[in-house]
Structures are given as C-alpha cells and as structure tokens.
Amino acid sequence: MLNRQGRPSQPGEAAVAAHPTFTGNRALQQEEPLIFEIGRPETTGVDVDEPAPFEPRLGGLERTDGVGLPGLSEPEAMRHYVRLSQKNYGIDTGLFPLGSCTMKHNPRLNERMARLPGFADVHPLQPFSTVQGAFELMDTLAAWLLELTGMQAVAMSPKAGAHGELCGMMAIKAAIAAKGEAATRRVVLVPDSAHGTNPATAALIGFTVRPVPARPDGTVDPAAVQAAIGPDVAAIMLTNPNTCGLFERDVVEIARIVHEAGAYFYADGANFNAIVGKARPGDLGVDAMHINLHKTFSTPHGGGGPGSGPVVLSDRLAAFAPVPFVVRDGERFRLVEDEADAARQGARPFGRLTAFHGQMGMFVRAMAYMLSHGADGMKQASEDAVLNANYVRACLADLMSLPFGNRPCMHEVLFDDAWLKDTGVTTLDFAKAMIDEGYHPMTVYFPLVVHGAMLVEPTESESKASLDLFIATLRDLAMAVRRGDVERFTGAPYHAPRRRLDETRAARQPVLRWTPPEPIREAAE
Ligand SMILES: *Cc1c(COP(=O)(O)O)cnc(C)c1O
C-alpha cells in the first residue's frame, strides 16, 4: 500500500514491534513517568530562605514531616510539563471532529481580552462602583444574547449547559407553582434522542420523565407529542438542531401543542451554533433555552475547562429568573441580589443558583467573539459550519451509511454502523484507526438512538484543504474495511503512545491516586 506521499506505508503491529527502542520512546513520542516518579524530595527548583523562627499557633497540631511533594529542578519540571502538553490533541493540533461538542476556533484575541487586568483580576465581592465596566460588559452581552434569540430575559449565572438546564427547569417549576399547578404538573416529555443531561435535570428536581419516540427520519413527530401530552405535563425538553444533527422541522407545531396543553417549551440550545443569525428560538415558541457560550461563542472547553450556560427566557418565564442579575440605575450598573430588591424590579426569582454572578472570563470571550465577528460574521460562521458538515456527508455517503438517508444535515453529520455489518470492524475499531492517522475520533455511540453512531462535526473554521484531507483519510480507511484489511482496525491504535485501553475498567474502577512503591527494605522482607 502506498501512503499519501507515495511511499510504502507499514501500518500495524509488525512495523512497531520490528524496531523496539531502548528507551521505549518512539522518536519524538517520549515516554513520561508521573512527576512523583521522577521527583526526589531533596531536590528543589527554587531557593527559598529558611523562615525566621516563629511560634506556631496550632496547639501542637502542626505538621512535622514533609507533604511529599515531588522535588524537581527547573529544567526537569519544564520538560515534564512540556512533554505532557505535547501529548494533547486539541483544536490547535488539528481537525477535531467530535460531534455534539462544537469544538471550534478559539480566537487568540479573546484570550487577550479575557486576560485584561480589569476583567481577569476583579473579585466578586468588590464594591459595585469599582466594577462598572464588568457590569456593562455583562449587560451588553445579555442584550446581544436576547437579540440573537428573540427572547425576553436572560439569566447569566449558570456555569455550564447542564447547569443552565437546571436553571431553566427551575424557572418553569416556579412558574407552575405560581399558577397553583405544582401538584398536578409532574411530568416532563423528553425525546429519545436527547442528551443525557435533559432527563437527568428533569429527574433531579422531582419531575417524572416520559420519553417521546423519534420517527424514522430522526425528528420528533408532533403527533407523538400530542399523544404524550396531558394536564399532568409541565414541559417538553427538546434539542434543536437535535443530537442527530437535524433541524426539528415541526418545532413550531410542537410548541403550539405544548402551549395549548398549558405546558412550557424548554429547548436545549447546545447546538445553537448551527442557527445563530438564521433562526431565533423566540420565534419558534421556545420558553427557556440554555446557550453554551463555550460551544457557540468560543472559549476553549473540554478536559475540564470552564463552561458558561446563560439561559434565555420568554416573557412567560422572565420574572422567575434567579438572582443575582445586573440592572441599570441611571448611569450606574448594580446587581440585584435579594428577593425584596427583585420584587421592586417586578421580578419573583426562584432563588439563587450560584454564589456569584457567573463566569466572567467566558463572558469576556463571548463578547470579544461577537464584536470581532459582527452580526454578519456570526451568521456566516453558522452557514459555514452547516456547509462543512454537508460537504463531509456528501463526500462519504457512497462508502459510509447514513441512518436517515442522504439528505441535508445541520452542523454535524451522523453515520451509523450498517456499512460495517459483517466486516469484523466495529465503530470503535474504526475510531481507533483514525488515531493512527493523526485524527481525534469523532463522537462514537452517541446519540443512542442510532446503532454504532459516528457523529462528525467538522466546525466552521476548517479550510477546504483540511476537510479534503480528512475526507480522503476516512475514505482510505473505509476502502480498507471493504478490502477486508481487518487487522488495521482491530489492533488499532498501533502508533499511539498507548495501545487499546480497557476503557470500561478505567471508568468502573478508576485509579485516581498514585501510591508510592513499597520501600525496597519492606519488599525484601
Ligand atoms: C454539551 C451538551 C449539553 C451539556 O452542556 P455542558 O456545558 O457540557 O454541561 C447538553 N445538551 C447537549 C445537546 C449538549 O451537546
């Protein structure tokens, strides 16, 4: 087989096993032990003076031995962290096709803005008079979010999408209680294709979840909603575009049915990046929707990075938004922090969701993203995200199978594993072989409604050349499946620093703590 450069390629175990190295390193792929394994307590990278003698005030509880921190020289510490950082695969390394995550462009400008001392160094307990600029930014960002969604109010404090779901559903619960229907409206409708956080949120605050099946085209049938709804229903939680990458084309009719039954429409807005500037949730009949600032308006995420999930609310729910929120008093901004103050603003908040006002750093990034793109730029980002996903779909549809037929998708394209049937290769094998090719795999086995799902989201910021190489790689892999080159998949990854891991065991029995090896003396006994 010839590779892309026209040279013979040697995929597989044989090529690696034939040339073992003394160090275990493979060229620039260097093995890196834990920092505890390379550190020695007597070594230090900094020269700290002995503290002056002092009288401890801990009544004899003070520590007498070391805390066991690894001791490293400065170059050793640098090498350790630089090597670890080089093992990362991220959007700065290459195309990141993970679906349902909208990993995307994180403009450096945003990072610069978020690090401005006036934003980065503010403390949540500072006097209002000293943080007027931060309040103004929050107020302006809130106005843009309302403009883009066509909604009435926005709660800025939720710190992730799932947290936003909680906020929106608590507002719905409060609204229902205010109407005296708390005892009767106990059910939340959730389509089968929903993200797991939707039913989890509803259940967490005491609702019973009633599933709504999808129809064969992957969308929700209004007739199914009609059949499931009744006077016991508090709300529906619907993702649009949905997790299959499809626009819920009957969303307006679904909203009508839900409202007619006296219930509320919660939209999961995690995929808002596909429709920004094109459609406004407010016009579709949505009552509450979280926006993942980290998925739609940039900010690096994943790997535990911070999120931010402001929730936009319709006029039916606006009054119930939680404290604190920013208001403008004449020339000055301030936070409304308690119920009495909120009541003077005509609001009846369901309570407080977080200690403070939300994720300032993410607000700054989102604002910088919006200002640098402009209204036309944001609309184009949505269009390009959808165009890129459809390009990938069109270029792979002859080799890989599409569960809902070869018709246009939104910002992500969903394949299933029907095309792998009887080949001896699974979705997981295929994903692992992508690692050998230098790509982070797409999202696999989600959404659950599709067998062996492969959800590809190329994002708006990939060039045609980058997409073409990605497509060519997937085509090459798909052709290998067809040829019966099963070994290329079942043993993959061959070239990664670690081979196939026992992911089930890692999830079920995680080893989260390093324990020092027994001292040699004890081992010898
Ligand atoms: C990511 C996502 C969520 C949850 O958002 P977090 O910020 O990760 O809490 C909810 N629904 C969908 C469809 C998502 O993709």
Side-chain angles (χ1 to χ4, degrees):
M1 182 172 53
L2 294 186
N3 68 12
R4 192 158 62 94
Q5 281 81 31
R7 300 192 199 101
S9 59
Q10 296 185 297
E13 180 81 309
V16 178
H19 307 286
T21 59
F22 175 71
T23 51
N25 297 338
R26 280 188 252 148
L28 298 181
Q29 268 185 31
Q30 293 175 314
E31 284 295 304
E32 189 59 21
L34 295 176
I35 195 164
F36 294 97
E37 293 168 324
I38 45 180
R40 295 163 311 284
E42 68 279 8
T43 309
T44 175
V46 281
D47 210 4
V48 188
D49 287 341
E50 276 297 315
F54 64 98
E55 200 57 44
R57 286 182 292 166
L58 292 169
L61 292 174
E62 60 271 19
R63 182 181 277 282
T64 51
D65 51 355
V67 291
L69 292 178
L72 283 83
S73 68
E74 187 182 316
E76 283 171 330
M78 274 317 282
R79 270 186 202 155
H80 178 71
Y81 288 110
V82 169
R83 284 177 178 176
L84 286 187
S85 75
Q86 288 169 340
K87 294 191 195 307
N88 256 340
Y89 188 95
I91 195 74
D92 294 337
T93 324
L95 188 151
F96 208 109
L98 211 54
S100 200
C101 277
T102 66
M103 291 294 295
K104 60 207 290 267
H105 186 41
N106 299 130
R108 288 326 185 246
L109 174 69
N110 300 2
E111 299 305 311
R112 190 79 191 272
M113 295 302 110
R115 282 166 179 70
L116 289 174
F119 292 129
D121 297 344
V122 291
H123 190 281
L125 295 177
Q126 255 174 258
F128 292 164
S129 64
T130 65
V131 285
Q132 286 296 307
F135 284 155
E136 184 171 357
L137 183 137
M138 288 173 67
D139 192 62
T140 311
L141 177 61
W144 275 73
L145 292 176
L146 295 179
E147 170 80 23
L148 289 168
T149 55
M151 303 285 276
Q152 225 58 50
V154 54
M156 298 296 284
S157 65
K159 295 189 177 175
H163 203 203
E165 288 174 34
L166 184 67
C167 176
M169 291 306 289
M170 286 177 81
I172 287 174
K173 201 174 178 183
I176 286 172
K179 285 198 280 188
E181 297 177 342
T184 47
R185 294 196 183 267
R186 314 275 327 221
V187 173
V188 171
L189 305 183
V190 181
D192 279 341
S193 61
H195 196 264
T197 48
N198 292 187
T201 299
L204 184 73
I205 55 173
F207 288 114
T208 304
V209 175
R210 185 178 296 159
V212 181
R215 56 186 161 192
D217 73 356
T219 60
V220 174
D221 188 346
V225 176
Q226 187 74 67
I229 210 152
D232 58 342
V233 171
I236 189 170
M237 296 182 83
L238 188 77
T239 308
N240 196 22
N242 69 21
T243 58
C244 301
L246 303 170
F247 191 84
E248 292 287 354
R249 56 190 159 84
D250 290 314
V251 59
V252 173
E253 173 65 1
I254 291 170
R256 192 193 60 76
I257 293 168
V258 168
H259 290 150
E260 203 175 81
Y264 292 92
F265 180 2
Y266 186 92
D268 181 328
N271 294 329
F272 189 45
N273 67 309
I275 56 172
V276 173
K278 307 292 289 185
R280 301 191 311 165
D283 299 335
L284 304 177
V286 169
D287 291 308
M289 182 182 92
H290 71 264
I291 299 165
N292 304 54
L293 292 188
H294 47 297
K295 291 181 179 177
T296 302
F297 300 109
S298 79
T299 288
H301 67 292
S308 180
V311 178
V312 287
L313 300 164
S314 68
D315 52 3
R316 308 169 72 211
L317 293 176
F320 300 97
V323 288
F325 51 85
V326 175
V327 288
R328 191 180 194 138
D329 274 345
E331 286 298 290
R332 288 281 177 195
F333 294 94
R334 67 183 181 88
L335 284 180
V336 172
E337 301 224 67
D338 58 56
E339 268 178 46
D341 194 4
R344 284 192 289 278
Q345 311 286 329
R348 39 197 309 196
F350 70 72
R352 174 182 281 266
L353 200 66
T354 63
F356 301 116
H357 51 267
Q359 305 278 40
M360 193 65 212
M362 326 259 316
F363 296 158
V364 179
R365 288 176 176 89
M367 192 77 242
Y369 181 86
M370 289 180 177
L371 287 175
S372 57
H373 278 69
D376 56 337
M378 284 190 278
K379 183 170 163 211
Q380 193 185 336
S382 303
E383 290 172 353
D384 290 351
V386 173
L387 180 64
N388 283 359
N390 279 288
Y391 183 60
V392 171
R393 175 185 56 76
C395 292
L396 294 173
D398 59 327
L399 287 174
M400 296 167 65
S401 48
L402 294 149
F404 306 117
N406 192 9
R407 54 195 185 83
C409 56
M410 297 298 291
H411 59 303
E412 50 194 354
V413 52
L414 178 61
F415 299 97
D416 65 11
D417 64 357
W419 68 285
L420 293 174
K421 193 166 184 299
D422 299 328
T423 60
V425 175
T426 65
T427 290
L428 186 72
D429 299 330
F430 191 79
K432 296 294 182 193
M434 285 172 67
I435 296 176
D436 281 336
E437 298 293 339
Y439 283 108
H440 191 290
M442 66 288 263
T443 292
V444 292
Y445 300 107
F446 177 84
L448 303 175
V449 283
V450 164
H451 200 270
M454 298 178 223
L455 186 60
V456 179
E457 179 170 11
T459 79
E460 80 291 346
S461 45
E462 294 302 327
S463 66
K464 180 163 181 298
S466 158
L467 291 177
D468 282 339
L469 180 55
F470 177 71
I471 290 163
T473 307
L474 261 57
R475 290 191 69 84
D476 187 68
L477 287 169
M479 296 300 282
V481 173
R482 300 230 157 169
R483 279 196 309 273
D485 185 0
V486 174
E487 202 205 339
R488 181 167 171 193
F489 299 90
T490 50
Y494 292 101
H495 301 290
R498 290 292 176 273
R499 302 288 308 282
R500 195 81 67 110
L501 304 176
D502 185 347
E503 288 168 12
T504 311
R505 195 162 148 231
R508 300 240 163 103
Q509 302 165 11
V511 180
L512 301 175
R513 192 168 169 208
W514 176 76
T515 23
E518 297 284 309
I520 297 165
R521 187 160 34 86
E522 280 177 38
E525 277 168 10

